[in-house]
Amino acid sequence: QVELTESGGGSVQAGGSLTLSCVVSGLTQYSLGKNSMAWFRQTPGKEREGVAHISKNGATFYADFVDGRFSISRDDAKFTSYLLMTSLKHEDTAVYYCATVFKGSRPLARDEYGIWGQGTQVTVSV
């Protein structure tokens, strides 16, 4: 059974930084290396939206609102994906989820992913 476990969320002041981690279990390193990984976020009453995607080859895609502030990376030897978030804004407050098993061609589309973590809360205060 494939599981994703996020960590690293917390409370930070606007302008601060956080690094989120997503550990994958239940896949071999070989299988993980064949899958893209992504980060999404969701606030109450809103749809879950794509934040960043990293392909099996390391190509990255970001939502427009990231505007150069976030960086996604992966270390397959550690079965981990990271999301470095800098210059955080109050509107970045959300539950952040990681996802894998990318099924299609739209890197930031929620329905293109088959496996999800439980999420980690990020709160940015003004």
Side-chain angles (χ1 to χ4, degrees), residues 5 10 12 18 21 28 31 48 66 82 92 122-123:
T5 305
V12 63
L18 281 175
S21 299
T28 64
S31 295
R48 192 170 298 185
V66 168
Y82 304 96
D92 294 319
V122 172
T123 303

Side-chain angles (χ1 to χ4, degrees), residues 5-96:
T5 305
E6 302 96 335
S7 63
S11 297
V12 63
Q13 289 188 327
S17 300
L18 281 175
T19 299
L20 306 183
S21 299
C22 173
V23 177
V24 182
S25 61
L27 284 177
T28 64
Q29 184 174 337
Y30 174 76
S31 295
L32 178 61
K34 296 175 66 177
N35 279 284
S36 298
M37 300 190 72
W39 287 89
F40 286 72
R41 69 185 189 184
Q42 188 170 20
T43 54
K46 291 189 175 182
E47 294 288 321
R48 192 170 298 185
E49 61 180 353
V51 176
H53 164 107
I54 184 165
S55 75
K56 60 183 180 181
N57 298 318
T60 56
F61 301 87
Y62 296 94
D64 289 343
F65 62 77
V66 168
D67 196 23
R69 300 179 297 126
F70 298 174
S71 177
I72 187 171
S73 61
R74 60 190 293 167
D75 185 340
D76 291 350
K78 295 183 178 180
F79 294 86
T80 303
S81 170
Y82 304 96
L83 184 67
L84 169 62
M85 303 187 295
T86 65
S87 300
L88 282 162
K89 305 175 182 179
H90 176 64
E91 50 265 43
D92 294 319
T93 296
V95 178
Y96 283 73

